[in-house]
Coordinates of all heavy atoms in Angstrom, one line a residue:
S26 N 130.7 6.8 88.0 CA 131.2 5.4 87.9 C 132.6 5.2 88.3 O 133.4 6.2 88.3 CB 131.1 5.0 86.4 OG 129.8 5.2 85.8
S27 N 132.8 4.0 88.9 CA 134.2 3.7 89.4 C 134.4 2.2 89.3 O 133.5 1.4 89.5 CB 134.3 4.2 90.8 OG 135.6 3.8 91.4
L28 N 135.6 1.9 89.1 CA 136.1 0.5 89.1 C 136.2 0.0 90.6 O 136.1 -1.1 90.9 CB 137.4 0.3 88.4 CG 137.3 0.4 86.8 CD1 138.7 0.4 86.3 CD2 136.5 -0.8 86.3
T29 N 136.6 1.0 91.5 CA 137.0 0.6 92.8 C 136.1 1.2 93.9 O 135.9 0.5 94.9 CB 138.4 1.1 93.1 OG1 138.5 2.5 92.9 CG2 139.4 0.4 92.2
M30 N 135.5 2.3 93.7 CA 134.7 3.0 94.8 C 133.2 2.6 94.6 O 132.7 2.8 93.5 CB 134.8 4.5 94.8 CG 134.0 5.2 95.8 SD 134.1 7.0 95.8 CE 135.8 7.2 96.5
S31 N 132.7 2.0 95.7 CA 131.2 1.6 95.5 C 130.3 2.8 95.6 O 130.7 3.9 96.0 CB 130.9 0.6 96.8 OG 130.9 1.4 97.9
A32 N 129.1 2.5 95.2 CA 128.1 3.6 95.3 C 127.9 4.1 96.7 O 127.6 5.3 96.9 CB 126.8 3.2 94.6
A33 N 127.9 3.1 97.6 CA 127.8 3.5 99.1 C 128.9 4.5 99.5 O 128.7 5.4 100.2 CB 127.8 2.2 100.0
E34 N 130.2 4.2 99.0 CA 131.3 5.1 99.3 C 131.0 6.5 98.7 O 131.4 7.5 99.3 CB 132.6 4.5 98.9 CG 133.0 3.3 99.7 CD 134.2 2.5 99.1 OE1 134.0 2.0 98.0 OE2 135.3 2.6 99.7
M35 N 130.5 6.4 97.5 CA 130.3 7.7 96.8 C 129.2 8.5 97.6 O 129.4 9.7 97.7 CB 129.8 7.5 95.4 CG 130.9 7.0 94.4 SD 130.1 6.7 92.7 CE 131.0 5.3 92.2
T36 N 128.2 7.9 98.0 CA 127.2 8.5 98.8 C 127.7 9.1 100.1 O 127.4 10.2 100.4 CB 126.1 7.5 99.2 OG1 125.5 7.0 98.0 CG2 125.0 8.1 100.0
A37 N 128.6 8.4 100.8 CA 129.3 8.9 102.0 C 130.1 10.1 101.7 O 130.1 11.1 102.5 CB 130.1 7.8 102.6
V38 N 130.8 10.1 100.6 CA 131.6 11.3 100.2 C 130.8 12.5 99.9 O 131.1 13.6 100.3 CB 132.6 10.9 99.1 CG1 133.3 12.1 98.5 CG2 133.6 9.9 99.5
L39 N 129.8 12.3 99.1 CA 128.9 13.4 98.6 C 127.9 13.9 99.6 O 127.5 15.0 99.6 CB 128.3 13.0 97.3 CG 129.1 12.8 96.1 CD1 128.3 12.2 94.9 CD2 129.9 14.0 95.7
G40 N 127.4 12.9 100.4 CA 126.3 13.3 101.4 C 125.0 13.4 100.6 O 124.1 14.1 101.1
I41 N 124.9 12.8 99.4 CA 123.7 12.8 98.6 C 123.2 11.4 98.3 O 124.0 10.6 97.8 CB 123.9 13.5 97.2 CG1 124.6 14.8 97.4 CG2 122.6 13.6 96.4 CD1 125.2 15.3 96.0
E42 N 122.0 11.1 98.7 CA 121.4 9.7 98.4 C 121.2 9.6 96.9 O 120.5 10.5 96.3 CB 120.2 9.5 99.2 CG 120.4 9.2 100.7 CD 121.2 8.0 100.9 OE1 121.0 7.0 100.2 OE2 122.1 8.0 101.9
P43 N 121.6 8.5 96.2 CA 121.3 8.3 94.8 C 119.9 7.8 94.7 O 119.3 7.2 95.7 CB 122.3 7.3 94.4 CG 122.6 6.5 95.7 CD 122.4 7.5 96.8
D44 N 119.3 7.9 93.5 CA 118.1 7.2 93.2 C 118.2 5.8 92.8 O 117.4 5.0 93.1 CB 117.3 8.0 92.0 CG 117.0 9.4 92.4 OD1 116.6 9.7 93.5 OD2 117.1 10.3 91.5
E45 N 119.3 5.5 92.2 CA 119.6 4.1 91.8 C 121.1 3.9 91.9 O 121.9 4.8 91.8 CB 119.2 3.9 90.2 CG 117.8 4.1 90.0 CD 117.5 4.1 88.5 OE1 118.4 3.6 87.7 OE2 116.3 4.3 88.2
I46 N 121.5 2.6 92.1 CA 122.9 2.3 92.1 C 123.1 1.0 91.3 O 122.2 0.2 91.1 CB 123.5 2.0 93.5 CG1 122.7 0.9 94.2 CG2 123.4 3.3 94.4 CD1 123.5 0.4 95.4
M47 N 124.3 0.7 90.8 CA 124.7 -0.5 90.3 C 125.9 -1.0 91.0 O 126.8 -0.2 91.3 CB 125.0 -0.4 88.8 CG 123.7 -0.2 88.0 SD 124.0 0.1 86.2 CE 125.2 -1.0 85.7
I48 N 126.0 -2.2 91.3 CA 127.1 -2.8 92.0 C 128.0 -3.6 91.0 O 127.4 -4.4 90.3 CB 126.7 -3.7 93.2 CG1 125.9 -2.8 94.2 CG2 127.9 -4.3 93.8 CD1 125.2 -3.7 95.2
R49 N 129.3 -3.3 90.9 CA 130.2 -4.0 90.0 C 130.0 -5.5 90.2 O 130.1 -6.1 91.2 CB 131.6 -3.6 90.3 CG 132.5 -4.2 89.3 CD 133.9 -3.7 89.5 NE 134.8 -4.2 88.4 CZ 136.0 -4.5 88.5 NH1 136.6 -4.2 89.7 NH2 136.7 -5.0 87.5
G50 N 129.7 -6.2 89.0 CA 129.6 -7.6 89.0 C 128.2 -8.1 89.4 O 128.1 -9.3 89.6
S51 N 127.3 -7.3 89.5 CA 126.0 -7.7 90.0 C 125.1 -8.4 89.0 O 124.1 -9.0 89.3 CB 125.2 -6.5 90.7 OG 124.9 -5.5 89.7
R52 N 125.4 -8.2 87.7 CA 124.5 -8.8 86.7 C 124.8 -10.2 86.3 O 123.9 -11.0 86.2 CB 124.5 -7.9 85.4 CG 123.8 -6.6 85.6 CD 123.6 -5.9 84.3 NE 123.1 -4.6 84.5 CZ 123.1 -3.6 83.6 NH1 123.6 -3.9 82.4 NH2 122.6 -2.5 83.9
S53 N 126.1 -10.5 86.0 CA 126.5 -11.8 85.7 C 128.0 -12.0 85.8 O 128.7 -11.0 85.9 CB 126.0 -12.2 84.3 OG 126.9 -11.6 83.3
T54 N 128.4 -13.2 85.8 CA 129.8 -13.5 85.9 C 130.3 -14.2 84.6 O 131.5 -14.4 84.5 CB 130.2 -14.3 87.1 OG1 129.4 -15.6 87.1 CG2 129.9 -13.6 88.4
E55 N 129.5 -14.7 83.8 CA 129.9 -15.4 82.6 C 129.4 -14.6 81.3 O 128.3 -14.2 81.3 CB 129.3 -16.8 82.6 CG 129.8 -17.6 83.7 CD 131.3 -17.9 83.7 OE1 131.8 -18.0 82.6 OE2 131.9 -18.1 84.7
P56 N 130.2 -14.4 80.3 CA 131.6 -14.7 80.2 C 132.4 -13.7 80.8 O 133.7 -13.9 81.0 CB 131.8 -14.7 78.7 CG 130.8 -13.8 78.2 CD 129.6 -13.9 79.1
R57 N 131.9 -12.5 81.2 CA 132.7 -11.6 82.0 C 131.8 -10.9 83.0 O 130.5 -11.0 82.9 CB 133.3 -10.5 81.0 CG 132.3 -9.7 80.2 CD 132.9 -8.8 79.3 NE 132.0 -8.1 78.4 CZ 131.7 -6.8 78.7 NH1 132.3 -6.1 79.6 NH2 130.8 -6.2 77.9
V58 N 132.3 -10.2 83.9 CA 131.5 -9.5 84.9 C 130.8 -8.3 84.3 O 131.4 -7.5 83.7 CB 132.5 -9.1 86.1 CG1 131.7 -8.3 87.1 CG2 133.2 -10.3 86.7
L59 N 129.5 -8.3 84.5 CA 128.7 -7.2 84.1 C 127.8 -6.7 85.2 O 127.2 -7.5 85.9 CB 127.8 -7.5 82.9 CG 128.5 -7.9 81.6 CD1 127.5 -8.4 80.6 CD2 129.2 -6.7 81.1
P60 N 127.6 -5.5 85.5 CA 128.4 -4.4 85.0 C 129.8 -4.4 85.4 O 130.1 -4.9 86.5 CB 127.6 -3.1 85.4 CG 127.0 -3.6 86.7 CD 126.7 -5.0 86.6
V61 N 130.6 -3.7 84.7 CA 132.1 -3.7 85.0 C 132.4 -2.5 86.0 O 133.5 -2.4 86.4 CB 132.9 -3.6 83.8 CG1 132.7 -4.9 83.0 CG2 132.6 -2.4 83.0
L62 N 131.4 -1.7 86.3 CA 131.6 -0.5 87.2 C 130.6 -0.4 88.3 O 129.5 -0.9 88.1 CB 131.5 0.7 86.3 CG 132.5 0.9 85.2 CD1 132.0 2.0 84.2 CD2 133.9 1.2 85.7
H63 N 131.0 0.2 89.3 CA 130.0 0.6 90.3 C 129.4 1.9 89.8 O 130.2 2.7 89.2 CB 130.7 0.9 91.7 CG 131.3 -0.2 92.3 ND1 130.6 -1.2 92.9 CD2 132.7 -0.5 92.4 CE1 131.5 -2.1 93.4 NE2 132.7 -1.7 93.1
R64 N 128.1 2.2 89.9 CA 127.5 3.4 89.4 C 126.5 4.0 90.5 O 125.7 3.2 91.0 CB 126.9 3.1 88.1 CG 126.3 4.5 87.5 CD 126.0 4.4 86.1 NE 127.3 4.7 85.4 CZ 127.4 4.7 84.1 NH1 126.3 4.5 83.3 NH2 128.5 5.0 83.5
W65 N 126.6 5.3 90.6 CA 125.8 6.1 91.5 C 125.0 7.0 90.5 O 125.6 7.6 89.7 CB 126.7 6.8 92.4 CG 126.1 7.8 93.4 CD1 125.8 7.6 94.7 CD2 125.7 9.2 93.1 NE1 125.3 8.7 95.3 CE2 125.2 9.7 94.3 CE3 125.7 9.9 91.9 CZ2 124.7 11.0 94.4 CZ3 125.2 11.2 92.0 CH2 124.7 11.7 93.3
K66 N 123.6 7.0 90.7 CA 122.8 7.8 89.8 C 121.7 8.6 90.4 O 121.0 8.1 91.4 CB 122.0 6.8 88.8 CG 122.8 6.0 87.9 CD 121.8 5.2 87.1 CE 122.5 4.1 86.3 NZ 121.5 3.3 85.5
V67 N 121.5 9.8 89.9 CA 120.3 10.6 90.2 C 119.5 10.7 88.9 O 120.1 11.1 87.9 CB 120.7 12.0 90.7 CG1 119.5 12.9 90.8 CG2 121.4 11.9 92.1
V68 N 118.3 10.3 89.0 CA 117.5 10.0 87.8 C 116.2 10.8 87.7 O 115.6 11.0 88.8 CB 117.2 8.5 87.7 CG1 116.4 8.1 86.4 CG2 118.3 7.6 87.9
C69 N 115.7 11.2 86.6 CA 114.4 11.7 86.4 C 113.8 10.9 85.3 O 114.2 10.8 84.1 CB 114.4 13.2 86.0 SG 112.7 13.9 85.8
R70 N 112.7 10.2 85.7 CA 111.9 9.4 84.7 C 110.4 9.9 84.7 O 109.5 9.2 84.3 CB 111.8 7.9 85.2 CG 113.2 7.2 85.2 CD 113.0 5.8 85.6 NE 114.3 5.2 85.9 CZ 115.0 4.5 84.9 NH1 114.5 4.4 83.7 NH2 116.1 3.9 85.2
E71 N 110.3 11.1 85.1 CA 108.9 11.7 85.2 C 108.2 11.8 83.8 O 108.8 12.4 82.9 CB 108.9 13.1 85.9 CG 107.5 13.5 86.2 CD 107.5 14.7 87.1 OE1 108.4 14.9 87.9 OE2 106.6 15.5 87.1
P72 N 107.1 11.2 83.7 CA 106.4 11.2 82.4 C 105.9 12.6 82.1 O 105.6 13.4 83.0 CB 105.2 10.2 82.6 CG 105.0 10.1 84.1 CD 106.3 10.4 84.7
G73 N 105.7 12.8 80.8 CA 105.2 14.0 80.3 C 106.2 15.2 80.2 O 105.7 16.3 79.8
L74 N 107.4 15.0 80.6 CA 108.4 16.0 80.5 C 109.3 15.8 79.3 O 109.6 14.6 79.1 CB 109.3 16.0 81.8 CG 108.6 16.4 83.1 CD1 109.7 16.3 84.2 CD2 108.0 17.7 83.1
G75 N 109.8 16.8 78.7 CA 110.7 16.7 77.7 C 112.1 16.4 78.3 O 112.3 16.6 79.5
V76 N 113.0 15.9 77.4 CA 114.4 15.6 78.0 C 115.0 16.8 78.7 O 115.6 16.7 79.7 CB 115.2 15.1 76.8 CG1 116.7 15.1 77.2 CG2 114.8 13.7 76.4
G77 N 114.9 18.0 78.0 CA 115.4 19.2 78.6 C 115.0 19.4 80.0 O 115.7 19.9 80.9
E78 N 113.7 19.2 80.2 CA 113.0 19.4 81.5 C 113.5 18.3 82.5 O 113.8 18.6 83.7 CB 111.5 19.3 81.4 CG 110.9 20.4 80.6 CD 109.5 20.1 80.2 OE1 109.2 19.2 79.4 OE2 108.6 20.9 80.7
Q79 N 113.7 17.1 82.0 CA 114.2 16.0 82.9 C 115.6 16.3 83.4 O 116.0 16.2 84.5 CB 114.1 14.7 82.2 CG 112.7 14.2 82.0 CD 112.7 12.9 81.3 OE1 113.5 12.6 80.4 NE2 111.7 12.0 81.5
V80 N 116.4 16.7 82.4 CA 117.8 17.1 82.7 C 117.9 18.2 83.7 O 118.6 18.2 84.7 CB 118.6 17.4 81.4 CG1 119.9 18.0 81.8 CG2 118.8 16.1 80.5
A81 N 117.1 19.2 83.5 CA 117.1 20.4 84.4 C 116.7 20.0 85.8 O 117.3 20.5 86.7 CB 116.1 21.5 83.8
R82 N 115.8 19.1 85.9 CA 115.4 18.6 87.3 C 116.6 17.9 88.0 O 116.8 18.1 89.2 CB 114.1 17.8 87.3 CG 113.0 18.6 86.9 CD 111.7 17.9 87.1 NE 110.6 18.7 86.8 CZ 109.3 18.5 87.1 NH1 109.0 17.3 87.7 NH2 108.4 19.4 86.8
V83 N 117.3 17.1 87.2 CA 118.4 16.4 87.8 C 119.5 17.3 88.2 O 120.0 17.3 89.3 CB 118.9 15.3 86.8 CG1 120.3 14.8 87.2 CG2 118.0 14.2 86.5
V84 N 119.8 18.2 87.3 CA 120.9 19.3 87.6 C 120.5 20.1 88.8 O 121.3 20.5 89.6 CB 121.3 20.0 86.4 CG1 122.2 21.2 86.7 CG2 121.9 19.1 85.3
A85 N 119.2 20.5 88.8 CA 118.7 21.4 90.0 C 119.0 20.7 91.3 O 119.3 21.3 92.3 CB 117.3 21.7 89.8
R86 N 118.8 19.4 91.3 CA 119.0 18.6 92.6 C 120.5 18.6 92.9 O 120.8 18.6 94.1 CB 118.5 17.2 92.5 CG 117.0 17.1 92.5 CD 116.5 15.7 92.3 NE 117.0 14.7 93.2 CZ 117.0 13.4 93.1 NH1 116.4 12.9 92.0 NH2 117.5 12.6 94.0
L87 N 121.3 18.5 91.9 CA 122.7 18.3 92.2 C 123.5 19.6 92.2 O 124.7 19.7 92.8 CB 123.4 17.4 91.1 CG 122.8 16.0 91.0 CD1 123.3 15.3 89.8 CD2 123.1 15.3 92.3
A88 N 123.1 20.7 91.7 CA 123.8 21.9 91.5 C 124.4 22.4 92.9 O 125.5 22.9 92.9 CB 123.0 23.0 90.9
P89 N 123.6 22.3 94.0 CA 124.1 22.8 95.3 C 125.4 22.0 95.8 O 126.1 22.4 96.6 CB 123.0 22.6 96.3 CG 121.8 22.6 95.4 CD 122.2 22.0 94.1
H90 N 125.6 20.8 95.2 CA 126.6 19.9 95.6 C 127.8 19.9 94.4 O 128.6 19.0 94.5 CB 126.1 18.5 95.8 CG 125.0 18.5 96.8 ND1 125.1 18.6 98.1 CD2 123.6 18.5 96.5 CE1 123.9 18.6 98.7 NE2 123.0 18.5 97.7
A91 N 127.8 20.9 93.5 CA 128.7 20.8 92.4 C 130.2 20.7 92.9 O 130.9 20.0 92.2 CB 128.5 22.1 91.5
D92 N 130.5 21.4 93.9 CA 131.9 21.4 94.3 C 132.3 19.9 94.8 O 133.4 19.5 94.4 CB 132.2 22.4 95.5 CG 132.2 23.8 95.0 OD1 132.2 24.0 93.7 OD2 132.0 24.7 95.8
A93 N 131.5 19.3 95.6 CA 131.8 18.0 96.1 C 131.7 17.0 94.9 O 132.6 16.1 94.8 CB 130.8 17.6 97.1
I94 N 130.8 17.2 94.0 CA 130.8 16.3 92.8 C 132.0 16.5 91.9 O 132.6 15.4 91.5 CB 129.5 16.6 92.0 CG1 128.3 16.1 92.8 CG2 129.6 15.8 90.6 CD1 127.0 16.6 92.2
T95 N 132.5 17.7 91.8 CA 133.7 17.9 91.0 C 134.9 17.3 91.6 O 135.7 16.7 90.9 CB 133.9 19.5 90.8 OG1 132.8 20.0 90.2 CG2 135.2 19.8 90.1
A96 N 135.1 17.5 92.9 CA 136.2 16.9 93.6 C 136.2 15.4 93.5 O 137.2 14.7 93.3 CB 136.2 17.2 95.1
L97 N 135.0 14.7 93.6 CA 134.9 13.3 93.5 C 135.2 12.8 92.1 O 135.8 11.8 91.8 CB 133.5 12.8 94.0 CG 133.3 11.3 93.9 CD1 134.4 10.5 94.7 CD2 131.9 10.9 94.5
T98 N 134.6 13.6 91.1 CA 134.9 13.2 89.7 C 136.4 13.3 89.4 O 136.9 12.3 88.8 CB 134.1 14.2 88.8 OG1 132.7 14.1 89.0 CG2 134.4 13.9 87.3
R99 N 137.1 14.3 89.8 CA 138.5 14.3 89.6 C 139.2 13.1 90.3 O 140.1 12.5 89.7 CB 139.1 15.6 90.2 CG 138.7 16.8 89.3 CD 139.3 18.1 89.8 NE 138.8 19.2 88.9 CZ 138.7 20.4 89.3 NH1 138.9 20.7 90.6 NH2 138.2 21.3 88.4
R100 N 138.8 12.8 91.5 CA 139.4 11.6 92.2 C 139.1 10.3 91.4 O 140.0 9.5 91.2 CB 138.8 11.5 93.6 CG 139.3 10.4 94.4 CD 138.7 10.5 95.8 NE 138.8 9.3 96.5 CZ 138.2 9.1 97.7 NH1 137.5 10.0 98.3 NH2 138.3 7.9 98.3
L101 N 137.9 10.2 90.9 CA 137.5 8.9 90.2 C 138.3 8.9 88.8 O 138.7 7.8 88.4 CB 136.0 8.9 90.0 CG 135.2 8.6 91.3 CD1 133.7 8.7 90.9 CD2 135.6 7.4 92.0
D102 N 138.3 10.0 88.2 CA 139.0 10.1 86.9 C 140.5 9.7 87.1 O 141.1 9.1 86.2 CB 139.0 11.5 86.3 CG 137.6 11.8 85.7 OD1 136.8 10.9 85.5 OD2 137.4 13.0 85.3
A103 N 141.1 10.2 88.2 CA 142.5 9.8 88.4 C 142.7 8.3 88.7 O 143.7 7.8 88.4 CB 143.0 10.6 89.7
E104 N 141.6 7.7 89.1 CA 141.7 6.2 89.4 C 141.4 5.4 88.1 O 141.5 4.2 88.1 CB 140.7 5.8 90.4 CG 141.0 6.3 91.8 CD 139.8 6.0 92.8 OE1 138.8 5.4 92.4 OE2 140.0 6.4 93.9
G105 N 141.1 6.1 87.0 CA 140.9 5.4 85.8 C 139.6 5.7 85.1 O 139.4 5.5 83.9
G106 N 138.6 6.1 85.8 CA 137.3 6.5 85.2 C 136.6 5.4 84.5 O 137.0 4.2 84.6
E107 N 135.6 5.7 83.7 CA 135.0 4.7 82.9 C 136.0 4.2 81.8 O 136.7 4.9 81.2 CB 133.8 5.3 82.1 CG 132.5 5.0 82.7 CD 131.4 5.6 82.0 OE1 130.8 4.9 81.0 OE2 130.9 6.7 82.3
D108 N 136.0 2.8 81.6 CA 136.9 2.2 80.7 C 138.3 2.5 80.8 O 139.1 2.2 80.0 CB 136.5 2.6 79.2 CG 135.0 2.4 78.9 OD1 134.4 1.4 79.3 OD2 134.4 3.3 78.3
G109 N 138.7 3.0 82.0 CA 140.1 3.4 82.2 C 140.5 4.6 81.4 O 141.7 5.0 81.5
E110 N 139.6 5.2 80.7 CA 140.0 6.4 79.9 C 139.1 7.5 80.1 O 139.6 8.7 80.4 CB 140.0 6.0 78.4 CG 140.9 4.9 78.0 CD 140.7 4.5 76.5 OE1 140.0 5.2 75.8 OE2 141.2 3.4 76.1
G111 N 137.9 7.4 79.9 CA 136.9 8.5 79.8 C 136.5 9.0 81.2 O 137.0 8.6 82.3
P112 N 135.7 10.1 81.2 CA 135.3 10.7 82.5 C 134.4 9.7 83.3 O 133.7 8.9 82.7 CB 134.5 11.9 82.0 CG 134.0 11.6 80.6 CD 135.1 10.7 80.0
S113 N 134.5 9.8 84.6 CA 133.7 9.0 85.5 C 132.3 9.6 85.7 O 131.5 8.9 86.2 CB 134.4 8.8 86.8 OG 134.7 10.1 87.4
A114 N 132.1 10.8 85.3 CA 130.8 11.5 85.5 C 130.2 11.6 84.1 O 130.8 12.0 83.1 CB 131.0 12.9 86.1
V115 N 128.9 11.3 84.0 CA 128.2 11.4 82.8 C 126.7 11.9 83.0 O 126.1 11.5 84.0 CB 128.2 10.1 82.0 CG1 127.4 9.0 82.8 CG2 127.6 10.2 80.6
L116 N 126.2 12.7 82.1 CA 124.8 13.0 82.0 C 124.3 12.2 80.9 O 124.7 12.4 79.7 CB 124.6 14.5 81.8 CG 123.1 14.9 81.5 CD1 122.3 14.6 82.8 CD2 123.0 16.3 81.1

Side-chain angles (χ1 to χ4, degrees):
S26 301
S27 175
L28 289 167
T29 58
M30 182 182 284
S31 71
E34 291 172 293
M35 292 180 214
T36 300
V38 169
L39 295 174
I41 309 165
E42 285 295 324
D44 296 323
E45 298 176 10
I46 64 166
M47 288 175 45
I48 299 169
R49 184 174 183 212
S51 63
R52 288 193 186 161
S53 80
T54 57
E55 297 295 329
R57 63 185 176 101
V58 176
L59 294 174
V61 297
L62 299 166
H63 297 288
R64 182 157 279 177
W65 177 101
K66 298 181 188 179
V67 169
V68 184
C69 181
R70 296 178 190 273
E71 189 165 333
L74 296 180
V76 168
E78 295 165 292
Q79 290 176 328
V80 168
R82 287 189 180 195
V83 168
V84 170
R86 286 176 57 194
L87 296 174
H90 309 281
D92 291 341
I94 293 168
T95 300
L97 181 55
T98 299
R99 288 182 180 148
R100 180 175 163 190
L101 296 175
D102 285 348
E104 293 174 358
E107 258 183 89
D108 307 319
E110 298 175 13
S113 55
V115 65
L116 176 65

